[in-house]
Amino acid sequence: MSGDSFGPPTDVEKIMLDSVKATGPISFSTFMQLSLGHPTHGYYMKPEHAVFGTQGDFITSPEISQMFGELVALWMIKQWMDTNVKVSFRVVELGPGRGTLMDDVLRVLKQLPAARGKLKSIHLVESSATMRALQEGRLRKASQEGNFQIMWHDAIEEIEPEEDVFTMLVAHEFFDALPVNVIERTQQGWNEVLIAPSSDPSIRYTMPSSDSSQNLDSPPKMHETPSRWTRVLSPTPTASSTLLGLASPRFFSLPVGTRLEVSRASMNQARGIGKLINTKGGGCALVVDYGADRAFGDSLRAFKKHKIVDIFCSPGECDVTTNVDFALLKESMADLVSTHGPISQRNFLTCMGIEIRAAALMRSASSLERKKAIEDGANRLIDPCGMGEQYKVLGAVAKGRDEIWPFAVTQDSAQQPI
């Protein structure tokens, strides 16, 4: 396929163009699935993509400091000790990245006398063969020394609930990459915002509303750039937009012109978490991501080399993310578990003792450079103008436990009634 005025299309764009020719404009959910998860051309599937770290397109909290994973581990082990210290436990991670967070968690578990000999298995939900290889390389030594098995799964549904095992689960920057559909309230109901070639005269769908006052958030400001793709509105409600408009009671009375990003995949994953915890053995979960306790209407964005770029910039070559509607996650698992939060990452880590841990690490630092790196890492994780407030933490435990530290004593801007 030859290029046009926008330059040569990426491999993912070629698939998108063929799909539009065959069946018409595509959904944002399909766009995200192709861009991120296509078996050969998806962003996460290509071994040449560094993805994480200074050479990648973004840096995550575990990559910044070991303290993040250590405090996550302490929270999970506390839930196990408060529930039934006599049973063994397993650890599940959704979207483990390079294995950095799990490596930090395992190091803490190894050092706690109460946990020794109790770890039964590690379960990693990861569909990318490239990422699985990185995880296996990082965690192999811990697995051999601890004599526990590491198992990989393509989906959370592959992990069987266990009645006599306590399940610890963490999902860090997992939900933000799950596909969303974009829907808009019209006089007809909920229509779907779709994606079509910007220069195709055969696409006769209307344009979605540009009234930002009806959107539920203000997206990052950026210069408008010419693109091969544009947003169009379905002429009538689609089956998916109608169902997703009914996903939450919060959506029922929203006015015409309101736009929402709704993730059916996130709802399914949240229920999967609930099913793993809602057993005789019990369990706990932490979901850490950027978002809030409300819905968003225009938060989709793409990242390339640590910078936000146009959402349609080089599909398959950029990371595509969206803010997480934590309220929807809670609603999806409310009948299965007790949820707590979300609270800001700053409040969570501060209450869990990051300043004390940082001071201890700095005292044992071998150089001034290492001491400064520790201090800078801690400050970045709890920065009120950055990650400390942008990231939220949601806790989930088995029903019957009402007050969970630090959620029981922490109230902050993460709680929003929208």
Side-chain angles (χ1 to χ4, degrees), residues 12 15 29-46 126-129 177-179 315-320:
V12 167
I15 298 171
S29 176
T30 298
F31 167 72
M32 291 184 70
Q33 289 172 342
L34 290 173
S35 296
L36 301 178
H38 186 277
T40 55
H41 305 310
Y43 176 77
Y44 290 125
M45 302 302 176
K46 292 184 177 181
E126 177 62 70
S127 59
S128 168
L178 295 182
E317 304 295 331
C318 303
D319 187 35
V320 179

Side-chain angles (χ1 to χ4, degrees), residues 58-105:
F58 54 90
I59 298 177
T60 63
S61 296
E63 304 288 337
I64 291 173
S65 173
Q66 68 186 67
M67 291 177 281
F68 180 85
E70 291 172 347
L71 296 178
V72 166
L74 287 177
W75 185 87
M76 294 193 298
I77 207 73
K78 177 68 164 57
Q79 307 317 307
W80 169 68
M81 295 178 71
D82 287 348
T83 302
N84 188 352
V85 74
K86 294 182 180 180
V87 302
S88 59
F89 60 84
R90 59 180 178 172
V91 184
V92 178
E93 184 174 3
L94 309 184
R98 296 195 300 191
T100 305
L101 174 57
M102 183 60 73
D103 193 34
D104 291 336
V105 168

Side-chain angles (χ1 to χ4, degrees), residues 148-356:
F148 55 82
Q149 186 178 6
I150 301 178
M151 289 170 275
W152 279 267
H153 309 272
D154 288 322
I156 193 173
E157 292 81 8
E158 297 178 6
I159 306 175
E160 293 291 334
E162 294 192 29
E163 293 298 327
D164 298 320
V165 175
F166 187 89
T167 297
M168 304 175 184
L169 184 146
V170 61
H172 177 264
E173 288 202 50
F174 172 76
F175 281 92
D176 67 275
L178 295 182
V180 300
N181 290 78
V182 182
I183 60 177
E184 186 172 304
R185 190 68 176 262
T186 70
Q187 296 291 351
Q188 299 171 288
W190 287 102
N191 292 31
E192 186 159 5
V193 180
L194 303 170
I195 301 170
S198 57
S199 59
D200 189 343
S202 67
I203 303 298
R204 301 188 181 281
Y205 289 14
T206 60
M207 300 301 291
S209 171
S210 60
D211 183 4
S212 60
S213 66
Q214 296 297 342
N215 289 334
L216 299 185
D217 55 288
S218 298
K221 300 297 183 183
M222 64 174 60
H223 296 294
E224 292 293 334
T225 56
S227 172
R228 180 177 281 114
W229 304 98
T230 189
R231 295 169 175 82
V232 296
L233 191 66
S234 64
T236 59
T238 64
S240 61
S241 65
T242 300
L243 288 173
L244 292 173
L246 299 172
S248 170
R250 293 172 293 134
F251 304 162
F252 294 170
S253 60
L254 293 174
V256 169
T258 300
R259 192 183 305 169
L260 294 173
E261 296 162 345
V262 189
S263 175
R264 168 60 65 178
S266 292
M267 297 167 67
N268 292 338
Q269 295 294 323
R271 287 204 64 78
I273 292 173
K275 290 176 181 177
L276 291 180
I277 295 175
N278 185 28
T279 64
K280 180 181 176 182
C284 64
L286 281 180
V287 175
V288 186
D289 230 311
Y290 42 83
D293 206 22
R294 64 178 182 88
F296 293 85
D298 200 1
S299 71
L300 273 163
R301 54 200 175 270
F303 286 91
K304 190 173 183 64
K305 296 181 179 179
H306 303 284
K307 294 181 179 180
I308 294 179
V309 296
D310 183 82
I311 185 65
F312 299 130
C313 174
S314 303
E317 304 295 331
C318 303
D319 187 35
V320 179
T321 69
T322 183
N323 285 357
V324 176
D325 179 356
F326 282 94
L328 189 63
L329 302 187
K330 293 192 295 184
E331 292 167 350
S332 300
M333 63 174 98
D335 61 320
L336 299 171
V337 296
S338 173
T339 59
H340 303 268
I343 61 176
S344 68
Q345 177 172 289
R346 173 183 174 83
N347 281 348
F348 177 83
L349 294 178
T350 300
C351 289
M352 290 299 298
I354 190 172
E355 294 172 340
I356 296 173

